[in-house]
Amino acid sequence: QASKMKDNPLWLSVVECFTDPEINIFQIAQEQTDDAQKAFELAKEFNNNLNRLRQIKEIKLPAQEVPMHATLDEAIDIFDRVNSQGTKLTEAELALTHVTGKWATARRIIKKKIEELKRENFNFDLTFMVRSLTGVVCQRALFETIHEKPREELEEGWKRLSKILDYLVNVLPGASIHSTEDLNTTNVLVPIIVYLSLNNGRFPTGKDLNNAIHWLYTAHMWARYTAQTDQRLEQDVSIVVRESFPWQSLKEQIIDQRGRIEVKPSDFEGRGTQHPLYRMLNIISKAHGAVDWFNGAPLGSTHGNSYGIHSHHIFPQSLLYKSGYNPESYMDRQRVNEIANRAFLTASTNLSIANKLPDQYLPDVEKNYPGALVSQFLPIDPSIWKMEKYENFLVARRELIAQKINEFMDSLISKPEETHERPIKDLIVLGETLTLEFKSTLQWDVIQNAQNKGLRHSVLKSIAAFLNTAGGTLIIGIEDDGTICGLENDLNLVHNSIDKFQQLLTTLVSECIGTEY
């Protein structure tokens, strides 16, 4: 600390130790003691310290030079290597480094867009923007897939992404998502952004929009991307690329993960404001026209957006703790702060209610703003608004919230949608992904120009890999680069019969993988 070093002769600046050859070690030592022997010992210690410091200049440090003729990619490769041994950057930061290596103004342009969207109450960070850009440019979710993309594709992808984001921040409020505060993670928007990039930046029909919003709510409620984020995003983006109407297949991924997508009253037990279901309650409350209980302002309006909304305890915390709930007990705290004991009000209203019991203030709310309680799914039974009936209140409200969420979700879609695979020619243009693979032949060896039954196992391995993961599409008759080579040689081996070719493939799957598949 400067205050401790000031005027202390035992502290010398590092720069001075290198630039002043006349530092008098013995004089400094003699100033510390009148004992000549002790001064000599101190001088030896000080001299050793000074010499050790000055010897830093003699250390041989390895250096890796970037020659003048090196490309930017080669320079970035060295940057990656240095980074792996030093301060670890995120994959998003490394991806952005590759992007700016080819497109120098990219970071500035992206940050400008972030500020624009922030004025619309949508706060996106650089990680989300780079992930979304990767999705638009590469139809992938993994950051590394954008590393090799040329500047022209990056700039074109950004133009499309910028328009898609403008479109989304206008569409989402119609789904009662007025800001990023309404979502537990912005990752739920990535598959939708990729879908829009494949559909001219718009939902083709109202049906597409409703199904997309239904999936978004589902992924949001059941925390699709809170773990294994990269893998799940890559999986879902691949489904979006593979299918022209991907929403049912995307929901099936969540069912596989969670077991169901419908909400049950038990899902709210002990859940607090950090759980995604709390934000879902906020969304459907606004969708049902929820208003402030003391001024009647719609909670979905400009003045009632999520930045101005407070989470109100219907039964006040302090009174519940006085009635017997123990603030030191984890279970009791969960009960007191449960989602079912929460309502959404403006800040001024939340303060005005203070510590009143529900049976004291709820009758006035219903009288002044009829329907205000129903729109936030409160049980209209004054007998359970009393302190001694708190547990009954929780049970009744959990049931109401679960029922209303399920009804709201069902209203978006009338029945499960069929899967719509994209035409094969469209898939070929998109190229291989996590769920799309090309094989040039089934059993024709193009090098030996003859039948090679050993090649069959390559096709079977791909099928087995898809069965063991998220499913997928295997196209036979296509080179890895997307060149169509056709099935003629394979068909010649089965007397030019498509039926026999299909039978052969079915037989191989049955014998090598299993009849049940």
Side-chain angles (χ1 to χ4, degrees), residues 277-311:
L277 282 171
Y278 172 72
R279 284 189 170 91
M280 190 63 196
L281 174 60
N282 184 13
I283 288 170
I284 67 163
S285 295
K286 291 188 290 185
H288 281 76
V291 299
D292 185 89
W293 287 352
F294 276 66
N295 60 33
L299 296 185
S301 69
T302 303
H303 298 292
N305 63 33
S306 52
Y307 293 101
I309 290 176
H310 275 210
S311 180

Side-chain angles (χ1 to χ4, degrees), residues 108-366:
R108 191 181 317 130
I109 290 171
I110 293 173
K111 284 191 171 182
K112 182 181 178 182
K113 189 67 181 180
I114 288 174
E115 290 303 313
E116 281 180 27
L117 297 170
K118 190 175 182 179
R119 291 194 287 272
E120 302 294 329
N121 292 334
F122 285 86
N123 292 307
F124 298 119
D125 58 20
L126 277 171
T127 298
F128 170 80
M129 297 297 252
V130 175
R131 177 91 74 179
S132 299
L133 182 62
T134 302
V136 171
V137 173
C138 308
Q139 285 88 50
R140 299 283 298 276
L142 300 180
F143 290 112
E144 67 214 38
T145 58
I146 204 172
H147 287 191
E148 305 302 322
K149 292 296 179 180
R151 174 172 179 162
E152 296 75 20
E153 289 186 34
L154 295 171
E155 290 194 76
E156 177 58 32
W158 173 252
K159 289 177 184 176
R160 287 190 287 146
L161 175 59
S162 183
K163 291 178 180 178
I164 288 169
L165 291 171
D166 289 338
Y167 174 70
L168 269 182
V169 299
N170 282 286
V171 167
L172 291 174
S176 298
I177 298 171
H178 294 90
S179 80
T180 42
E181 293 293 313
D182 288 329
L183 300 171
N184 64 316
T185 172
T186 55
N187 282 325
V188 295
L189 298 177
V190 173
I192 291 177
I193 287 170
V194 175
Y195 175 81
L196 292 172
S197 75
L198 296 170
N199 288 275
N200 299 315
R202 295 286 186 275
F203 289 106
T205 66
K207 178 182 177 182
D208 290 274
L209 171 59
N210 284 346
N211 276 272
I213 295 300
H214 185 277
W215 171 80
L216 185 151
Y217 288 149
T218 305
H220 162 73
M221 282 192 298
W222 296 117
R224 171 68 174 157
Y225 303 120
T226 53
Q228 298 178 307
T229 305
D230 286 352
Q231 296 91 324
R232 288 176 180 169
L233 275 171
E234 177 76 351
Q235 191 176 71
D236 290 349
V237 167
S238 295
I239 290 171
V240 169
V241 172
R242 185 180 74 206
E243 300 177 12
S244 60
F245 196 89
W247 312 113
Q248 183 60 27
S249 294
L250 288 172
K251 280 178 275 191
E252 286 169 0
Q253 297 300 313
I254 299 173
I255 294 172
D256 287 345
Q257 175 190 342
R258 307 290 308 200
R260 59 183 165 86
I261 58 176
E262 69 276 9
V263 179
K264 295 182 179 180
S266 58
D267 294 325
F268 295 92
E269 291 184 23
R271 302 294 191 185
T273 57
Q274 298 306 310
H275 195 276
L277 282 171
Y278 172 72
R279 284 189 170 91
M280 190 63 196
L281 174 60
N282 184 13
I283 288 170
I284 67 163
S285 295
K286 291 188 290 185
H288 281 76
V291 299
D292 185 89
W293 287 352
F294 276 66
N295 60 33
L299 296 185
S301 69
T302 303
H303 298 292
N305 63 33
S306 52
Y307 293 101
I309 290 176
H310 275 210
S311 180
H312 166 67
H313 285 79
I314 300 167
F315 282 74
Q317 276 180 311
S318 59
L319 297 184
L320 286 169
Y321 288 137
K322 286 180 182 178
S323 72
Y325 290 90
N326 182 2
E328 303 300 321
S329 165
Y330 175 74
M331 298 295 290
D332 281 2
R333 289 201 309 273
Q334 281 189 308
R335 222 32 150 216
V336 167
N337 295 300
E338 196 175 293
I339 293 172
N341 189 32
R342 301 291 187 137
F344 302 100
L345 305 178
T346 61
S348 58
T349 296
N350 191 29
L351 293 173
S352 69
I353 293 174
N355 278 346
K356 295 178 183 177
L357 282 169
D359 60 348
Q360 294 174 337
Y361 69 87
L362 290 184
D364 289 335
V365 172
E366 185 59 27

Side-chain angles (χ1 to χ4, degrees), residues 265 268 284 373-374 376-380 394-407:
F268 295 92
I284 67 163
L373 302 183
V374 172
Q376 294 210 45
F377 323 121
L378 266 72
I380 308 300
L394 289 181
V395 171
R397 189 150 191 254
R398 287 184 204 127
E399 291 177 354
L400 267 176
I401 297 173
Q403 175 192 335
K404 292 300 181 181
I405 289 178
N406 291 328
E407 287 177 358

Side-chain angles (χ1 to χ4, degrees), residues 373-440:
L373 302 183
V374 172
S375 65
Q376 294 210 45
F377 323 121
L378 266 72
I380 308 300
D381 179 2
S383 69
I384 59 173
W385 293 352
K386 301 179 184 299
M387 180 61 74
E388 62 270 19
K389 296 291 185 179
Y390 178 61
E391 292 292 336
N392 302 79
F393 174 85
L394 289 181
V395 171
R397 189 150 191 254
R398 287 184 204 127
E399 291 177 354
L400 267 176
I401 297 173
Q403 175 192 335
K404 292 300 181 181
I405 289 178
N406 291 328
E407 287 177 358
F408 177 70
M409 294 290 283
D410 290 343
S411 71
L412 290 170
I413 52 171
S414 56
K415 60 180 180 179
E417 300 294 338
E418 296 178 359
T419 295
H420 297 272
E421 296 283 349
R422 292 187 187 277
I424 287 181
K425 286 187 176 180
D426 290 354
L427 289 176
I428 293 170
V429 170
L430 293 172
E432 290 187 305
T433 67
L434 187 70
T435 56
L436 176 64
E437 192 165 337
F438 302 152
K439 295 293 180 186
S440 56

